[in-house]
Amino acid sequence: MNDFELPNFALALPEMFLLGMTCLVLIVDLFLNEKNRVFTYLLAQLTLLGAVVITYYQAGIVSEISFTGSFIRDEMGDILKIFIYIITAVVFLYSRDYLRDRQQFKGEFYALGLFGVLGMMIMVSAHSFLTIYLGLELLSLSLYTMVALNRDSEASAEAAMKYFVLGAIASGMLLYGMSMIYGATGSLDIAEIGSYINENGISEDGKINIVLSFGLVFIVVGLAFKLGAVPFHMWVPDIYEGAQTPVTLYLGAAPKLAAFAMIMRILVEGMQPLVADWQMMLTALAVLSLAVGNIIAIAQTNMKRMLAYSTISHVGFLLLGIIAGNEDGYSASMFYVLIYALTSIGAFGMIILLSRSGFEADKLEDFKGLNERSRWYAFMMLLIMFSMAGVPPTVGFFAKLWVIKAVLDVDMAWLAISAVLFSVIGAYYYIRIIKLMYFDKAVDKAPIKAAVDMQFVISTNGLLMLVLGLFPGALVAVCQSVIN
Amino acid sequence: MLFGLDILSTLIWLPIIGGLVVLAAGEKRARILSLIVAVATFLFSFTLYTQFDMTTAAMQFTELHAWIPAFNINYQLGVDGISMPLIILTSFTTVLVILSAWEVIKKKPDQYMAAFLIMEGVMIGVFSSMDAILFYVFWEAMLIPMFLIIGVWGGPNRVYATIKFFLYTFLGSVLMLVALIYMGLKEDSFSILAFHTLPLTITEQIYIFLAFLLAFAVKVPMWPVHTWLPDAHVEAPTGGSVILAAIMLKIGGYGFLRFSLPITPDASSTLDWLIITLSLIAIVYIGFVALAQKDMKKLIAYSSIAHMGFVTLGFFLVFMIIENTGSANGAAMGVEGGIVQMISHGFISAAMFLCVGVLYDRMHSREMGDYGGVANTMPIFAAFMVFFAMANAGLPGTSGFVGEFMVILNSFKANFWIAFLAATTLILGAAYTLWMVKRVVYGEVANEKVEALEDLNAREFFILGVLASAVLFFGLYPAPLTEILHSSVNHLLQHISVSKL
C-alpha cells in the first residue's frame, strides 16, 4: 500500500463516539459534587445507549475493512458490541447503590468502565495483531485500576497487584507470540497472515514452519491467561474474591465476550490452516479447565470464589465449540459466551442485591433461607443457578447442548462425554446454593431493599434464563447467521 | 380444543400455568385452586381415552411446531397405546396427591401444591414428547420440582436424600443426551420416530443402548443403581413418595419401550441377558432386602424396586421368546404384562404410601416397631391397608395379580428357570407385605399412642376408596387397559423383530 488512503472513519463511529463521551464523563465529573454524582452515572448510561443506537444503525451484512487493514466492521462484531454495551449498562446499574452505600460512588468507576468498553470494542473490531494488542491493553489497564479502586482494602490492593503482574506476563507472552508470527509471515494484518499460512505455512510433507508453531504456542498461552483457562487460571479466584463485587461483576462478564472475539480473530481468521495444532492445545486446556474448575469449586465457602471456579469450568465449555473447528462450533461458542455473560451478571447481581452497607453477602451461608426472606428473588437465583448447571428448561442447557453437539459432529465423542460428566460434578455446587436458599432456615432476616430499577432489571435478568430457555430459537439463529 | 390449544398441549400447559397461578394467589386460596386445576386436568385427560383409536399403532393427537429450526428441533407431541394410559395415571394421581396434602402440609402449601401441578405438566410432557430434545427437556425439568419437594417438605435427612436423588438421575441422563445428539446428527432430525428407523451398526447400537440403560435403570430403578430410591422415599413427604413411586419410576420403564427397544433392537437382543439378570436380582435379592426393613416406607420402596423388576423382565424376555417360538406374537403378553404391572403398581404403591402417610400424620413415626394393633382403633383404615397389602402381594382379583401373572406365564416360554426365579416373588412379596401388616395392623394395642388413634376422616376415606376401586376394577376386568395396548405393543414387537443391521 504505497498510496495513502483516507480511512473510512464512519466505520469506527461507535468507538469514536464512546471515546468522546468518556472524555466528557471525565470532565463533567470534575465539576460535580458528591450529591450530584448521579449525573456521571446517567451520562455513562446515556453513552452506552448511544453506542447501542449507533452500532445498531451501522450494522450490515457485508464486512468492511478500513484503517489500512487494521479495523473491521462485521456482523459478529456488531452483535458482540451490542451485547457488551447492554451487559456493561446492567453492570453499572447493579453497582450504583452498592457503591453509593460504601462512599465509593466515584466518577472514576464509570470512566474506567467506559474505557474498558472501548478496549473491548477495539478487540472485537481488530483486524491486525497490533490493534488486538492495543485494545487488550486498554481493557487490561482499566481493569487493573478498577480492581484497585477500593484503595483502603488490603485484599483489593493485593488482588490488583497480582492481576497486574500476571496480566503483564500474559500480555508479554501474547506479544512475543505475535512478533514470531510477524517474523514468519511478514505481516500483522490478520487476512494477510491467514493467506500466507495457507500458502506457505505447511510444507509439502505436512510439517509446519517451526517459527509459526512457536508463535502459536505463545499466543495460545497468552489467550489462555486472559481467559483464565487451566493451567493459567491461578489469578482468577484471587481477583474475583479480592475485588469489590461490582468490579468482579464487570470483569467477569463483558470481557469474556471480547476474549471470545480475540480468539476468533487470531486463531480462526488468522490461523485457520493450523487448526489441527491449536485444536490439540485447546483440547488440553478445555479438559483441564472443566476438571479443575468443577472440582475445586465444590470446596469453596465464598460465593465469589466459587463463581470464579465456575467461570473456569465455563471457559472449558466455551473452548469446546472452538475446538470443533468449524462454523457450527464457533456459533455454539458465541452462543455459550453470550449466555454465560448474562447468567454471570445475574449471579453477581444477586450478591449485590443481598448485600448492604457493612455487609457483603459474599459467603455461601448468606444465601441461607432466602426463600423465607423473598420468594421471588430465591426463584430468580434458582433459575440462574440451574442455568449455570445446564438443567433444562433454562437456557444454560441449550448453550451446553450446542457445544456438545459441535464436538460430537467432529467425532470427538470422548470429549463430549467428559464434558457432560464434569457438568454433573458441577451441578453439585450449584444445587448446593439452591439447598441453602430453600431447605435451610434464614439466619439473617433483614429485609431486602433495592431501588425499583434494580429490582426490575434483576428480575428480567433471572426470567430471561427461563424465557430464553423456552424460546432459544431466535438467539441461536442470530449466532448462526453472524458466524457464517 | 381448549383456548385454541390441542389436547396434549392443554394437558401439559394447563397444570403448569395453573401452578404458577397458585403461586401467585398465595397460601389462602392455594388448596382449592390447585384442586380445581388438578381435577380439570384429570377430566380433560379423559378425552384422550374417549377419542382414542385403538385400531392403529400410529401416533395420535399429534402436534408439530418448529421450536429451534436451526437444529431441526421441533415441538412435536403424540401418544400411542403405551403412553396414553400413563398420562391418565399421572393426572389421576396428582388429584389424589393434592387431596392428601390438604390439611397435612402447613408450611408454604402454595409452593407445595404448585410444585406438584408443575411436575404433573412436565411428566405429561415426558410421555407425549415425540422429539428427543423436547423429551430430554421435560425429563430433566422433572427433577427441579421433585428436588424441591423432597428438600423443603421432607424428613430429617432430606438434604442428603434429595441431593443424592438429583445427582444420581442427572448423572444417568447426561449420557443419554450425548446418545440423542449423536443420533440427531446422523439423522439430521430429533424426531423419535425417525430414530426408530435410523440404521445403526451393532457397535453404535451397543453404546447407545448402554447410555439409555444408565438413564432408565437409574429411573426405574434397577439393581445396582437403586440406592437413591429408599433414601428419597423415606425422606420425601407423602405426596412426593406417591408421585415418585406411581409415575416417576414408570418413566424409566416407558423409556425402555420408547427408546431402547425400538432404536437399538440388535443391541437389546444381544444384551437382553444383562437386563434379565438385573431384573431377576431385583426381584429376588431386593425381595429379601425388603424382608429385613423396619421402616414402612423403606419396605414399600424396596418392594417397588422388586415390582419394577417384573416390568423390565417382561420387556426384555421378548428376544428369547422370539428365538424359542419363532414369532413375535407370543412375546406380546410379556410386554403387555409389564405395562399392566406399571399401571397397577402406580395404584398400589400410591395407596401403600398414602396408608403410611395416614399413620405418619397421626403418630409421626414410620417405624413398624412403634405400631401394633392399629386394627383395634382404626378398623376402616385397617381394612384398606390389608386390601392394598394383598394387592401388593399379587392376590388374584386385584390388579397386582394381572401383570405379575402375565409376565410369569410368559417367562415359561423363554426359560423355566427364569420363570422359577420370577415366581419366588409370590412368596417373598407375600412374606414382606403380610409380615408388615401383621406387625402394624394386627395384634394387641401396642402403646397408648396407638390407643389414641382416630380412624380415617372423609377425605382420607375418599382417597383410599378411589384407589381401592381402581385396584379392584383392573384386577377383575383388565380388558379396557389391554385393549388399548394391543396394537401399539404388536407394532413395537413387529418393529424390533426386524434387525437394523
Side-chain angles (χ1 to χ4, degrees):
Chain A
M1 270 176 244
N2 296 325
D3 306 319
F4 179 75
E5 245 181 284
L6 197 63
N8 182 0
F9 286 106
L11 285 186
L13 196 59
E15 280 81 359
M16 291 188 293
F17 171 76
L18 204 95
L19 177 61
M21 288 297 283
T22 311
C23 295
L24 187 69
V25 167
L26 262 180
I27 294 168
V28 167
D29 186 62
L30 278 181
F31 298 98
L32 291 175
N33 56 22
E34 283 300 319
K35 275 184 198 158
N36 299 327
R37 194 72 72 199
V38 73
F39 285 111
T40 313
Y41 162 78
L42 289 175
L43 201 56
Q45 294 288 34
L46 196 69
T47 308
L48 290 169
L49 181 70
V52 171
V53 173
I54 295 176
T55 308
Y56 180 77
Y57 278 105
Q58 215 189 23
I61 297 164
V62 189
S63 315
E64 297 158 284
I65 298 175
S66 183
F67 294 94
T68 58
S70 57
F71 187 91
I72 181 170
R73 207 230 91 249
D74 61 357
E75 263 195 305
M76 180 187 87
D78 294 334
I79 295 292
L80 285 175
K81 279 182 199 170
I82 289 178
F83 267 87
I84 288 172
Y85 307 142
I86 294 173
I87 285 169
T88 311
V90 174
V91 168
F92 284 173
L93 191 149
Y94 287 170
S95 314
R96 186 193 56 210
D97 291 352
Y98 179 99
L99 294 171
R100 188 154 44 197
D101 288 346
R102 284 161 187 74
Q103 282 77 47
Q104 297 273 338
F105 195 46
K106 302 280 186 243
E108 285 81 2
F109 180 81
Y110 296 101
L112 287 168
L114 289 175
F115 272 122
V117 170
L118 182 61
M120 292 185 240
M121 293 164 75
I122 294 173
M123 284 161 79
V124 168
S125 275
H127 196 254
S128 111
F129 278 0
L130 214 53
T131 335
I132 290 183
Y133 186 75
L134 287 175
L136 178 64
E137 282 308 285
L138 183 54
L139 170 65
S140 301
L141 285 173
S142 311
L143 288 179
Y144 303 147
T145 327
M146 284 170 85
V147 173
L149 266 184
N150 186 14
R151 57 182 181 181
D152 295 330
S153 154
E154 277 183 30
S156 292
E158 185 192 326
M161 198 64 201
K162 272 186 193 158
Y163 194 21
F164 177 70
V165 172
L166 291 173
I169 293 176
S171 301
M173 294 276 188
L174 192 67
L175 202 55
Y176 194 47
M178 286 173 173
S179 69
M180 283 192 189
I181 305 280
Y182 178 64
T185 62
S187 173
L188 286 170
D189 185 300
I190 285 173
E192 284 176 25
I193 292 172
S195 60
Y196 179 89
I197 296 178
N198 212 4
E199 284 158 25
N200 315 313
I202 301 173
S203 64
E204 279 172 16
D205 53 351
K207 284 189 183 145
I208 71 164
N209 181 330
I210 190 83
V211 183
L212 269 183
S213 71
F214 258 99
L216 177 64
V217 170
F218 278 105
I219 283 182
V220 169
V221 169
L223 291 175
F225 247 117
K226 293 291 173 194
L227 271 175
V230 179
F232 308 105
H233 66 289
M234 276 75 108
W235 61 274
V236 181
D238 287 344
I239 278 79
Y240 271 50
E241 191 186 352
Q244 273 191 310
T245 312
V247 179
T248 315
L249 174 69
Y250 179 87
L251 74 86
K256 294 280 181 264
L257 305 190
F260 166 76
M262 187 161 73
I263 295 182
M264 287 299 289
R265 299 288 183 215
I266 298 183
L267 292 186
V268 175
E269 288 171 22
M271 302 201 234
Q272 181 72 25
L274 303 180
V275 58
D277 298 86
W278 53 255
Q279 203 173 35
M280 202 172 57
M281 300 180 216
L282 294 187
T283 308
L285 293 174
V287 174
L288 284 173
S289 302
L290 286 168
V292 171
N294 278 322
I295 292 170
I296 300 189
I298 293 175
Q300 304 308 317
T301 54
N302 182 297
M303 186 78 182
K304 279 155 81 183
R305 217 174 163 82
M306 191 200 92
L307 287 173
Y309 281 104
S310 127
T311 306
I312 295 172
S313 75
H314 284 291
V315 166
F317 266 105
L318 160 69
L319 288 175
L320 291 184
I322 311 266
I323 289 167
N326 55 28
E327 282 177 350
D328 188 52
Y330 306 143
S331 326
S333 274
M334 179 163 166
F335 185 71
Y336 199 95
V337 77
L338 294 179
I339 295 305
Y340 171 71
L342 286 176
T343 319
S344 147
I345 52 171
F348 284 108
M350 286 300 298
I351 301 182
I352 293 187
L353 181 78
L354 294 191
S355 62
R356 54 186 180 269
S357 190
F359 176 69
E360 287 300 325
D362 59 354
K363 302 276 184 298
L364 287 187
E365 61 247 39
D366 297 335
F367 280 78
K368 269 190 182 171
L370 186 58
N371 187 38
E372 288 169 29
R373 294 169 64 195
S374 163
R375 294 163 59 153
W376 179 251
Y377 293 122
F379 181 58
M380 294 300 113
M381 190 64 178
L382 173 118
L383 291 176
I384 290 167
M385 285 294 120
F386 274 126
S387 180
M388 285 220 171
V391 177
T394 56
V395 66
F397 166 70
F398 288 99
K400 289 202 165 66
L401 173 83
W402 199 358
V403 290
I404 289 166
K405 176 169 163 286
V407 287
L408 274 177
D409 208 11
V410 292
D411 293 326
M412 294 174 96
W414 69 270
L415 192 57
I417 290 172
S418 46
V420 294
L421 291 182
F422 282 122
S423 78
V424 175
I425 298 177
Y428 172 72
Y429 58 82
Y430 297 122
I431 62 171
R432 191 173 52 180
I433 306 287
I434 295 164
K435 175 230 154 200
L436 290 170
M437 293 190 305
Y438 279 86
F439 308 164
D440 289 352
K441 287 240 173 305
V443 182
D444 168 23
K445 298 242 164 82
I448 298 167
K449 274 186 250 162
V452 179
D453 53 352
M454 166 104 183
Q455 290 184 11
F456 177 74
V457 173
I458 202 155
S459 303
T460 317
N461 198 174
L463 285 178
L464 212 52
M465 301 294 119
L466 188 62
V467 172
L468 283 175
L470 295 176
F471 307 100
L475 191 58
V476 166
V478 166
C479 290
Q480 222 169 24
S481 76
V482 298
I483 298 285
N484 290 349
Chain B
M1 295 278 270
L2 192 67
F3 311 121
L5 280 169
D6 295 301
I7 294 178
L8 287 174
S9 280
T10 314
L11 284 175
I12 295 172
W13 296 105
L14 176 67
I16 293 182
I17 294 170
L20 297 176
V21 171
V22 168
L23 269 184
E27 299 194 1
K28 276 188 187 158
R29 276 160 294 184
R31 295 186 173 85
I32 189 72
L33 260 178
S34 32
L35 185 66
I36 292 171
V37 174
V39 169
T41 314
F42 172 59
L43 293 179
F44 197 65
S45 71
F46 252 86
T47 49
L48 285 183
Y49 178 74
T50 51
Q51 298 180 20
F52 192 78
D53 178 2
M54 294 186 200
T55 55
T56 170
M59 288 298 155
Q60 307 184 29
F61 310 103
T62 50
E63 292 171 39
L64 178 64
H65 305 283
W67 186 23
I68 312 175
F71 305 154
N72 256 331
I73 295 175
N74 295 311
Y75 177 78
Q76 190 178 2
L77 303 176
V79 287
D80 62 358
I82 299 172
S83 43
M84 192 273 276
L86 291 167
I87 292 181
I88 298 183
L89 179 68
T90 309
S91 60
F92 173 73
T93 316
T94 306
V95 176
L96 299 186
V97 165
I98 299 284
L99 272 180
S100 79
W102 204 262
E103 292 143 13
V104 183
I105 299 293
K106 301 212 163 55
K107 178 180 166 191
K108 304 196 192 75
D110 49 338
Q111 290 190 348
Y112 184 85
M113 306 275 182
F116 276 105
L117 288 177
I118 291 173
M119 194 153 59
E120 176 187 12
V122 172
M123 288 189 299
I124 292 175
V126 170
F127 289 127
S128 49
S129 299
M130 278 298 117
D131 181 281
I133 298 299
L134 185 66
F135 170 84
Y136 188 83
V137 167
F138 281 126
W139 167 277
E140 291 270 305
M142 206 164 59
L143 294 181
I144 300 177
M146 199 42 149
F147 174 73
L148 294 175
I149 287 168
I150 302 178
V152 177
W153 293 275
N157 202 13
R158 58 185 199 271
V159 172
Y160 168 79
T162 196
I163 290 187
K164 187 171 178 182
F165 157 75
F166 189 95
L167 290 181
Y168 245 94
T169 2
F170 197 46
L171 175 67
S173 39
V174 287
L175 291 179
M176 172 172 79
L177 176 66
V178 175
L180 293 176
I181 299 175
Y182 179 84
M183 289 187 287
L185 286 168
K186 280 198 86 149
E187 175 69 35
D188 201 25
S189 150
F190 285 95
S191 160
I192 295 173
L193 292 180
F195 286 175
H196 286 185
T197 51
L198 172 71
L200 294 163
T201 68
I202 186 74
T203 331
E204 285 174 322
Q205 284 199 30
I206 285 185
Y207 280 122
I208 292 172
F209 179 82
L210 290 177
F212 281 139
L213 176 62
L214 191 63
F216 301 140
V218 167
K219 210 80 179 186
V220 164
M222 293 166 80
W223 184 87
V225 287
H226 64 281
T227 60
W228 63 269
L229 186 76
D231 285 317
H233 267 316
V234 169
E235 298 304 330
T238 306
S241 295
V242 170
I243 290 291
L244 207 54
I247 320 288
M248 275 208 177
L249 307 192
K250 275 66 199 183
I251 288 174
Y254 169 76
F256 280 118
L257 292 177
R258 183 68 80 225
F259 289 88
S260 303
L261 284 171
I263 293 177
T264 60
D266 302 292
S268 305
S269 147
T270 318
L271 293 174
D272 64 344
W273 58 270
L274 177 68
I275 309 279
I276 292 174
T277 317
L278 294 181
S279 308
L280 288 175
I281 293 176
I283 295 172
V284 180
Y285 165 73
I286 299 292
F288 278 111
V289 174
L291 265 179
Q293 299 308 315
K294 294 194 179 94
D295 182 309
M296 285 189 274
K297 267 190 160 180
K298 248 193 180 147
L299 189 145
I300 306 168
Y302 280 110
S303 125
S304 292
I305 303 171
H307 281 100
M308 290 306 286
F310 262 93
V311 174
T312 46
L313 183 67
F315 293 166
F316 279 84
L317 281 174
V318 175
F319 299 100
M320 288 176 89
I321 295 173
I322 293 178
E323 205 174 291
N324 290 352
T325 63
S327 90
N329 295 336
M333 199 203 277
V335 177
E336 284 179 14
I339 302 172
V340 171
Q341 171 82 340
M342 291 210 291
I343 303 284
S344 135
H345 181 256
F347 295 131
I348 299 172
S349 63
M352 295 290 279
F353 278 117
L354 286 165
C355 283
V356 177
V358 166
L359 287 179
Y360 184 81
D361 294 339
R362 289 165 173 71
M363 301 256 298
H364 299 284
S365 165
R366 292 178 306 256
E367 293 289 317
M368 285 183 250
D370 293 343
Y371 293 90
V374 170
N376 297 311
T377 45
M378 301 175 74
I380 304 176
F381 169 76
F384 275 118
M385 179 127 177
V386 172
F387 174 73
F388 290 124
M390 294 293 183
N392 198 38
L395 185 79
T398 63
S399 63
F401 172 73
V402 183
E404 283 185 14
F405 181 68
M406 287 165 91
V407 173
I408 296 178
L409 201 63
N410 219 34
S411 48
F412 270 107
K413 288 189 200 158
N415 182 311
F416 168 76
W417 289 107
I418 293 179
F420 175 79
L421 286 172
T424 55
T425 193
L426 296 174
I427 303 163
L428 285 172
Y432 57 70
T433 335
L434 296 183
W435 195 23
M436 175 180 82
V437 168
K438 182 208 152 231
R439 282 181 284 176
V440 174
V441 177
Y442 295 127
E444 296 294 307
V445 174
N447 50 44
E448 60 264 33
K449 272 192 178 168
V450 175
E451 185 130 36
L453 284 177
E454 280 173 36
D455 211 340
L456 298 179
N457 60 29
R459 179 180 56 88
E460 290 162 339
F461 184 83
F462 174 76
I463 298 173
L464 294 178
V466 168
L467 279 168
S469 345
V471 169
L472 210 55
F473 177 77
F474 285 107
L476 296 173
Y477 186 53
L481 181 57
T482 48
E483 272 168 12
I484 297 173
L485 299 176
H486 278 317
S487 20
S488 296
V489 169
N490 285 333
H491 174 76
L492 175 72
L493 291 175
Q494 290 303 328
H495 177 82
I496 62 176
S497 56
V498 182
S499 166
K500 271 191 174 185
L501 300 176

